[in-house]
Amino acid sequence: MTIERAGVIGCGLMGSGIAEVLARAGLSVVVRDINDDAVAAGRKRIEKSFAKGVERGKMTEQERDEALGRLTFTTELSEMADRQLVIEAASENEDIKKKIFAELDAIVTDEQAILASNTSSMPIIRFAQATSRPERVLGLHFFNPAPVQPLVEIISSVVTAPEVADEIEKFSTEVLGKTPIRSDDRPGFIVNALLIPFLFSAIRMLESGHATKEDIDTGMVNGCAHPMGPIKLADMVGLDTCLFVGQSIYEETGDPAAKPPILLSRMVDGGLLGAKTGKGFYDW
Ligand code: 3HC
């Protein structure tokens, strides 16, 4: 199957980035969110990123216009009917995601279509089991900012057909130009299983008064050549996302390193979610 028609569910931070990657790769993309405001915000985010892409010489104005022309925004899930690949990037809520998979299963007509989740850490098997085609469900996890980060994780559940994962690996490399890695369906997959304990250690260091956020970040940027320090990265990922991912890994593994720091929970309760709300550990 040549994948030419894709769908993205959710156009928040990750969904809009994924939609942009697909449109830039030449696919027709239908992007769905739950209401007009969410759709308008997603469209604005993509347009802003395209403008940055042009400004940085990553695409011409003509390529930008063509890519924008391949994107359709909607609030109707039914518009996913003719899609060959649908990537779910809704909020990290298991019940919401399961419902979306069940609905997509009823809507997407092509039996060969592939249904993927961009979840950061939730078990793919639970979404697969919400459908009547669990062998065609897998995890396809992008990294923020999706148009810039080369990596995708491909996660097979215990029932994903090997040829489905192989097809997505080929598509990720040859069509999207990404670097795929494969993971078992384990909490946090590969990257977040390593990243979340690291971010949480940095937040605990700050919480305990061990060092300032600036010094923690400068330490990792200038001492270990990280592109940004862990406190700033937590802000960029979204403190709510860091919390959900940590909770989900901790719930299954009991690993204390993945237990969310109290300061993180308090900040999320206080609506300080990082870059997306303009305020987190830093002002954005
Ligand atoms: N479109 C295309 N290219 C773009 C772009 C856009 N909208 N915006 C930036 N770029 C390109 C730039 O042209 C530049 O390319 P070059 O190196 O070839 O010149 C490159 O991207 C870097 O862009 P900038 O110069 O604007 O920005 P910085 O150098 O300050 O880098 C950053 C910003 C890419 C965010 C960098 O700081 C970084 O990589 N930080 C770490 C991000 C990270 O770790 N992400 C993973 C988070 S974990 C996750 O997402 C998983 C989830 O499940 C939690």
Side-chain angles (χ1 to χ4, degrees):
M1 171 172 76
T2 305
I3 301 174
E4 292 170 337
R5 297 183 305 280
V8 179
I9 310 297
C11 56
L13 203 58
M14 290 312 294
S16 56
I18 295 167
E20 179 180 336
V21 168
L22 295 167
R24 280 166 83 154
L27 280 87
S28 139
V29 189
V30 175
V31 189
R32 183 261 184 178
D33 213 316
I34 46 174
N35 59 45
D36 291 340
D37 286 350
V39 163
R43 185 199 293 267
K44 202 166 154 205
R45 196 176 289 118
I46 294 175
E47 285 171 354
K48 205 168 150 198
S49 180
F50 276 139
K52 199 167 170 195
V54 171
E55 191 186 300
R56 298 299 178 93
K58 301 289 178 193
M59 65 196 310
T60 64
E61 287 184 5
Q62 186 183 340
E63 284 165 345
R64 173 200 60 198
D65 293 343
E66 286 169 1
L68 273 172
R70 286 190 285 271
L71 283 158
T72 307
F73 295 84
T74 182
T75 54
E76 301 299 328
L77 203 60
S78 56
E79 293 200 28
M80 296 293 160
D82 69 343
R83 301 290 102 180
Q84 298 163 296
L85 168 67
V86 182
I87 304 174
E88 169 278 315
S91 48
E92 290 287 274
N93 176 307
E94 192 177 313
D95 291 336
I96 292 176
K97 286 181 187 285
K98 278 187 194 158
K99 187 166 177 279
I100 290 170
F101 273 88
E103 288 173 358
L104 284 174
D105 187 38
I107 287 168
V108 176
T109 53
D110 186 347
E111 285 177 3
Q112 294 304 304
I114 296 172
L115 305 181
S117 175
N118 180 60
T119 181
S120 298
S121 61
M122 288 179 186
I124 302 301
I125 187 62
R126 296 189 190 156
F127 309 139
Q129 291 304 102
T131 74
S132 63
R133 42 180 133 180
E135 69 289 347
R136 302 202 69 79
V137 175
L138 46 56
L140 180 57
H141 184 211
F142 291 75
F143 291 81
N144 184 18
V148 175
Q149 301 302 122
L151 191 76
V152 289
E153 285 179 314
I154 297 171
I155 305 105
S156 292
S157 82
V158 284
V159 297
T160 305
E163 60 272 21
V164 169
D166 291 346
E167 188 174 347
I168 288 298
E169 179 166 352
K170 195 162 176 274
F171 171 76
S172 300
T173 313
E174 293 177 6
V175 180
L176 302 185
K178 295 288 187 190
T179 304
I181 55 175
R182 298 273 196 118
S183 172
D184 264 2
D185 192 9
R186 302 287 172 88
F189 315 127
I190 296 172
V191 173
N192 280 332
L194 294 168
L195 180 66
I196 292 296
F198 167 56
L199 298 185
F200 286 4
S201 292
I203 296 169
R204 284 192 193 97
M205 195 176 257
L206 176 68
E207 190 176 43
S208 68
H210 185 139
T212 64
K213 58 179 185 279
E214 290 83 4
D215 283 353
I216 294 168
D217 282 349
T218 302
M220 296 314 291
V221 172
N222 292 336
C224 298
H226 288 201
M228 59 174 42
I231 304 291
K232 195 168 178 193
L233 180 57
D235 262 4
M236 196 193 79
V237 165
L239 299 187
D240 52 345
T241 302
C242 292
L243 180 68
F244 297 147
V245 178
Q247 279 166 338
S248 147
I249 298 174
Y250 181 64
E251 206 173 278
E252 267 205 283
T253 64
D255 178 357
K259 188 175 180 188
I262 289 171
L263 175 60
L264 178 68
S265 303
R266 294 290 183 273
M267 289 181 71
V268 172
D269 287 342
L272 306 175
L273 306 185
K276 63 184 160 191
T277 55
K279 227 173 173 15
F281 291 106
Y282 291 92
D283 289 337
W284 291 75

